[in-house]
């Protein structure tokens, strides 16, 4: 019997922490996990899951309009924010219960409290209780970054947006990343007047330029406004409770809500890591090696807190790799090449591998294939919205090194196509595959 209270103490029951806890326990470790908010973490409670449900809810606005072109008599419909919000929140609660059950089933001790690190093998709970563990796993995720400017306290973040009392008639969204663009699409479909405000001059950095341009074009056509190179000056609360948003280089904007989506920072503040000797990088992320081990050998970290790729499936893979390596005798490292990603905008984006610019820089000679088309459904619906698929091919080897898509169901199609990119298949392999007709995905094997 070990001298420690636990073999593993996990801080944070989010995507990475839950996976690591239950897998370590299934390998026979005595595991405790502390969670200061709700079991499930950002993805389940205030991220991917409630966001995607809102995206589905928002899409009905277009589907109901389009349905008329397909022969359905659709009366003018009214959208009820409170009903969708409450249904989404109760689904989140159901999932939270399932995550808790999984941990219970694996005999993981769940402590619903904040925990901090007080030594290489010691943690302290909020009530002062100190516990020891042979190993500690930091899986505390990230936290929305809100820039400081006068009145910034009137802003909300993705933490609060799922709980709004009413649908804002006018919403300003700060940021150009995927969360900003997803919520712009959601609120716009619900009928809010949306303005995206960006301190830089581009949206969705890291995505292929042509795809970003297409989303910008379509978003503007749908009525979303953009202000670029417009840092915040201040926010004033008006007597009627609304906000006046003052920006550099632009006229002020009146709004009922300001959603700040300007990135997420690693959640290490006040965690006691530096005092325990754990090295953090300049952004506060826990520095880890390929085995998720920090500069203190008994302390590990996975997920957003390490600021590698901030996505749920990556956090889950890291949690699994950690538990299998340390407690399962199966040394595993995560392969970060060709991680697919999506933007659940209207229409959505799916991408894997190198953008055209990255490939040109890295490989020199590349071949680019694109298909710019109007989905059959959009044609009949009279919806003048074009999809764009782009394939990036290494000219020397014929290998497909990147796929970038915007259009209906792009993330669903991209997930399957990502297998081919990950497997290193060539353009000739795509060409050899007979099209599945009629589909949008068939464009991928018909690129000329
Ligand atoms: C609005 C939004 C939409 C997103 N959409 C997507 C998407 O579509 N697809 C995707 O792949 N990713 C998405 N993400 C990102 C995804 O949610 C994260 O990458 C993922 O949750 C990271 O998992 P994690 O385990 O590192 O941390 P988290 O899931 O954030 O879990 C960390 C947990 O630690 C707890 N905690 C922190 N400090 C302490 C402490 N001291 N003591 C006890 N508990 C503590 C927190 O309460 C939290 O529950 C989205 C994020 C947001 C905000």
């Amino acid at each position: 019997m070990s001298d420690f209270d636990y073999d593993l103490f996990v801080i944070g029951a989010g995507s990475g922490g839950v996976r690591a806890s239950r897998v370590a326990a299934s390998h026979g470790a005595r595991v405790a996990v502390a969670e200061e908010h709700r079991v499930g973490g950002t993805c389940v409670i205030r991220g991917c899951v409630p966001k995607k449900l809102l995206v589905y809810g928002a899409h009905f606005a277009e589907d109901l309009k389009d349905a008329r072109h397909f022969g359905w008599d659709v009366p003018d419909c009214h959208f009820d924010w409170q009903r969708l919000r409450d249904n989404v929140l109760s689904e989140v609660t159901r999932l939270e219960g399932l995550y808790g059950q999984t941990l219970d089933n694996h005999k993981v001790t769940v402590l619903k409290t904040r925990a901090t690190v007080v030594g290489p093998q010691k943690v302290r709970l909020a009530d002062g209780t100190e516990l020891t563990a042979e190993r500690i796993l930091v899986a505390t995720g990230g936290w929305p970054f809100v820039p400081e400017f006068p009145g910034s306290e009137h802003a909300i973040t993705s933490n609060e947006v799922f709980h709004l009392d009413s649908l804002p008639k006018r919403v300003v969204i700060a940021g150009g990343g995927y969360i900003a663009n997803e919520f712009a699409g959601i609120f716009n479909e619900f009928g809010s007047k949306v303005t995206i405000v960006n301190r830089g001059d581009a949206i969705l950095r890291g995505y292929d330029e042509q795809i970003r341009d297409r989303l910008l074009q379509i978003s503007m056509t749908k009525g979303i406004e953009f202000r670029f190179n417009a840092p915040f000056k201040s926010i004033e609360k008006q007597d009627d409770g609304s906000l006046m948003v003052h920006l550099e280089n632009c006229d002020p904007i009146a709004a009922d809500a300001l959603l700040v989506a300007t990135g997420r920072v690693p959640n290490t503040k006040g965690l006691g890591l530096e005092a325990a000797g754990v090295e953090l990088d300049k952004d506060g992320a826990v520095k880890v090696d390929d085995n998720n081990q920090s500069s203190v050998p008994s302390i590990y970290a996975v997920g957003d807190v390490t600021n590698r790729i901030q996505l749920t499936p990556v956090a889950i893979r890291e949690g699994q790799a950690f538990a299998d390596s340390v407690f399962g005798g199966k040394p595993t490292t995560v392969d970060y090449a060709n991680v697919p990603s999506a933007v659940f905008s209207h229409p959505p984006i799916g991408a894997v591998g190198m953008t055209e610019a990255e490939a040109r820089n890295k490989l020199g000679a590349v071949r680019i294939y694109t298909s710019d088309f109007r989905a059959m459904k959009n044609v009949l619906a009279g919806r003048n919205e074009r999809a764009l698929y782009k394939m990036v091919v290494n000219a020397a080897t014929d290998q497909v090194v990147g796929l970038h898509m915007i259009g209906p169901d792009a993330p669903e199609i991209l997930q399957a196509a990502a297998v081919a990119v990950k497997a290193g298949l060539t353009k000739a392999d795509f060409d050899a595959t007979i099209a599945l007709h009629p589909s949008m995905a068939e464009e991928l094997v018909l690129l000329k």
Side-chain angles (χ1 to χ4, degrees), residues 193-377:
K193 171 85 207 107
V194 177
T195 311
I196 290 197
V197 168
N198 199 333
R199 57 186 300 210
D201 59 3
I203 59 167
L204 294 177
R205 275 183 204 290
Y207 281 88
D208 191 87
E209 205 168 326
Q210 257 181 296
I211 303 288
R212 290 153 48 172
D213 282 352
R214 179 60 53 92
L215 179 65
L216 182 62
Q217 244 175 48
I218 296 177
S219 299
M220 286 165 69
T221 310
K222 286 183 194 288
I224 298 173
E225 291 196 12
F226 288 81
R227 302 279 186 279
F228 290 110
N229 299 311
F232 281 96
K233 278 204 293 207
S234 63
I235 311 293
E236 271 171 1
K237 188 132 192 166
Q238 309 295 101
D239 292 342
D240 63 357
S242 68
L243 304 174
M244 192 56 79
V245 180
H246 297 277
L247 307 164
E248 306 277 357
N249 313 318
C250 292
D251 291 337
I253 307 173
D256 303 295
L258 166 64
L259 170 64
V260 174
T262 44
R264 293 172 62 78
V265 288
N267 199 355
T268 49
K269 215 164 139 193
L271 211 54
L273 289 171
E274 287 141 301
V278 175
E279 263 184 61
L280 306 181
D281 74 8
K282 62 175 181 17
D283 299 317
V286 180
K287 280 196 195 173
V288 287
D289 63 14
D290 288 349
N291 298 312
N292 302 296
Q293 195 167 27
S294 78
S295 53
V296 174
S298 55
I299 300 182
Y300 294 73
V302 294
D304 285 6
V305 75
T306 63
N307 212 3
R308 287 174 281 186
I309 300 181
Q310 293 189 357
L311 289 174
T312 286
V314 175
I316 290 174
R317 277 290 167 106
E318 290 169 355
Q320 177 90 38
F322 159 77
D324 282 344
S325 302
V326 175
F327 296 99
K330 264 194 292 178
T332 317
T333 53
V334 175
D335 174 4
Y336 295 94
N338 291 318
V339 173
S341 69
V343 183
F344 293 98
S345 42
H346 283 76
I349 291 173
V352 66
M354 288 188 237
T355 62
E356 179 179 347
E358 281 166 352
R360 286 197 189 285
N361 283 338
K362 236 184 189 152
L363 306 174
V366 296
R367 294 199 311 268
I368 304 296
Y369 299 88
T370 53
S371 174
D372 189 336
F373 64 100
R374 220 169 138 203
M376 194 189 243
K377 182 167 170 270

Side-chain angles (χ1 to χ4, degrees), residues 10-18 34-49 51-52 111 113-116 139-144 158-159 161-162 178-179 182-183 264 267 269-271 302-306 309-316 318 342 344:
V10 180
I11 308 182
S15 307
V18 167
E35 172 51 57
E36 67 176 348
H37 183 55
R38 292 174 67 182
V39 171
T42 305
C43 180
V44 175
I45 307 295
R46 45 195 178 190
C48 338
V49 171
K51 181 265 315 267
K52 186 75 185 278
L111 304 163
T113 178
R114 181 171 170 79
T116 52
T140 51
W143 196 250
S158 59
N159 284 351
V161 71
F162 299 106
Y178 79 96
I179 295 177
E182 290 174 342
F183 277 100
R264 293 172 62 78
N267 199 355
K269 215 164 139 193
L271 211 54
V302 294
D304 285 6
V305 75
T306 63
I309 300 181
Q310 293 189 357
L311 289 174
T312 286
V314 175
I316 290 174
E318 290 169 355
F344 293 98

Side-chain angles (χ1 to χ4, degrees), residues 47 54 63 109 129 136 151 155 183 224 226 309-310 323 430 439:
L54 291 188
D63 291 343
T109 305
T129 309
I136 295 170
F183 277 100
I224 298 173
F226 288 81
I309 300 181
Q310 293 189 357
F430 276 74
S439 67

